Amino acid sequence: MNFDRNTIIGFGLLAVLFFFYFYYNNLQQGEHQKEQARKDSIANALRPKLDTAALRQDSLRADSQRHATSAGMFLNAAQGTEQLVTAENEVFKIVFTNKGGQPKFVQLKKFKNALDSQQVKLAATDFNKISYAINTAANQSAQTGDLYFSSGKVTPGPDGTQVVTFELKGGDSTNVSNAITHQFIIHPNQYKIDFNINLSQPGTLLSQGVMNMVWQYDAAQQESDIEFEKQNTQIGYMEDGSFDYHTIGRKDHVNFDKSVNWIGVRQRFFNTFLVAKDNFTGGKISWTIPPDANKEVVKTTANMQLKVPAGNAATVPMSIYYGPADYNILKKYDNGFSKLVNLGQGMYAFVRPLNQYVIVPVFDFFKSIVSNFGLVIALLTLVIRLLISPLTYKSYLSGAKMKALRPEIATLKEKFGTDQQAMSMEQMKLFREAGVNPLGGCIPALFQIPIFFALYSFFNASVDLRGADFLWASDLSAFDDPIKFGVHIPLLGSHLSLFTITATVTSLLISIYSMSMSPDQSNPMMKYMPYIFPVFLLFIFNRLPSALTWYYTVSNLITLALQFVIQNYIIDHDKILARIQENRKKPKTKTKWQERLEQMQEQQKQMQDQRKKK
């Protein structure tokens, strides 16, 4: 790739986009977190210091009394002993509790927590719950999450399923006129479970036939870098048939005025979705970002409404997904789950088709035949470079043509000296006569912008790379840090990524080789920009996934090899010079754009001449 003026402009634009993306992303989340911290600080300052142990005992005593008072016809369920029941399939183990008749926690069998190497647990704190209000007596109500259901029963179902059932009966054991059943169906080798709420006499249990459901979810830290995990955690939902999402650092709540099919939390590599098969009629979801020391990424609380049909009995069909943010798994459900996987979102949504239809299929193909993900990335890089090789060849050919015109460009510089306007006009004429496109070297650089952002999104979101080791990197989904400083260095961090160094060094080698093949640059900025850009990469890439910096290293090595082979063995510089001479003999027709450009240049020259005379 030759570093003419337009190529440098292309790379400059690429650098600006890099900095804008990372700066904007960090700025938005930082402002929100600072504002949240300020509010918390004010609240803590105004809150009087109390005996927390005594308060906790008083609170538990008051809660117990309140639950007993509000239990009404379900008084027998107000007090009880928590009992757990376990069901599992090939991919997870799910533990249920009879308190609220709901999941207690989910343990994923194929994934380990980066902090303690134990199996990943989702919804594993006391904050997590699924509950809804029921009428227990005249002017009294209670939350099902506070009531003790009967001990859960696990029974085999059709097609290898397991059915877990909890019951809550009103009155004495013989009165079943007001009863609630929670039924969970665990399917073989699936992360999504069906959740059916069966209500007897729903008109009595629910006010105006509306179920007000509360879903609280606490996303515990799963990755080593909690700050980066928070930056890649989002709240998603499907409202009125349209998908939308919010990164947790940029907003703290969403109100729903239309029907909602599902709401969910994507915690970079792990998703939890709550689905209403007949749709929620409306509601709200809000969230807070706990301090990093809590080892919690986000706490969400959703208050959603469901319309329940009248009658002697009613069933509210729902489902819950606890599992990886795996694009291939989620797209099988065909309800928009996969859209929460970041293959290109927001202002970079234009790269999502590139990921979906090119990068993901090619990656999956190589993954099926090669077990080492570092080699998979190298093969993916090779395919990408082959796909853009026609543009790369045209870039090198344009560079060879520019090199052939180097003596004539030097003559023009001597002739016009500091008169840049006249120099530019004569240079454009020279290019047109020789049949050279001055933008030829810029196109491949610009074309690599969507490829880079596509891969940036893909490598950040690919759960396959989580925990995959290669060379000195123990996790390709995170930065490699064999060099640790022990202190935080501004713009760089507390470590130095070795793959970032290889990406920077190979980029610098490309710059050195390309500048040796390009015309001399009289503009100092144009002259040194190719050397400055690789240094920028050191600060941009140091905290990015090592999969991305490894890709960039391989891509640079391929570029160096292609440059050497094409420049020395494929492009015939004598033939190029002869072709340029032939082009000069042919009659030239100007395009309307060229005519307008020359008119503008001529007008600018006349204005400059007039200013000089004055």
Side-chain angles (χ1 to χ4, degrees), residues 132-150:
Y132 52 93
I134 55 173
N135 297 322
T136 58
N139 300 320
Q140 288 185 356
S141 64
Q143 286 286 333
T144 58
D146 297 327
L147 301 176
Y148 290 87
F149 286 60
S150 65

Side-chain angles (χ1 to χ4, degrees), residues 408-420:
E408 297 182 57
I409 293 175
T411 302
L412 291 176
K413 287 181 180 179
E414 293 179 2
K415 179 179 179 181
F416 293 99
T418 59
D419 190 348
Q420 294 294 327

Side-chain angles (χ1 to χ4, degrees), residues 56 70 78 102 129 149 183 214 217 225 258 298 305 333 410 415 447 455 479 493 502 517 519 523 536 571 584 587:
R56 192 179 300 111
S70 63
Q102 60 186 314
K129 73 174 182 179
F149 286 60
Q183 181 188 69
V214 178
Y217 182 72
D225 187 350
K258 301 176 182 178
V298 65
Q305 289 79 51
Y333 295 112
K415 179 179 179 181
F447 192 75
L455 290 170
F479 55 78
T502 59
M517 304 296 293
N523 188 326
F536 286 166
I571 293 178
R584 283 176 164 167

Side-chain angles (χ1 to χ4, degrees), residues 561-576:
L562 285 174
Q563 277 187 328
F564 181 79
V565 172
I566 292 176
Q567 293 283 9
N568 292 279
Y569 297 102
I570 297 178
I571 293 178
D572 190 326
H573 295 274
D574 293 333
K575 287 185 177 179
I576 289 174

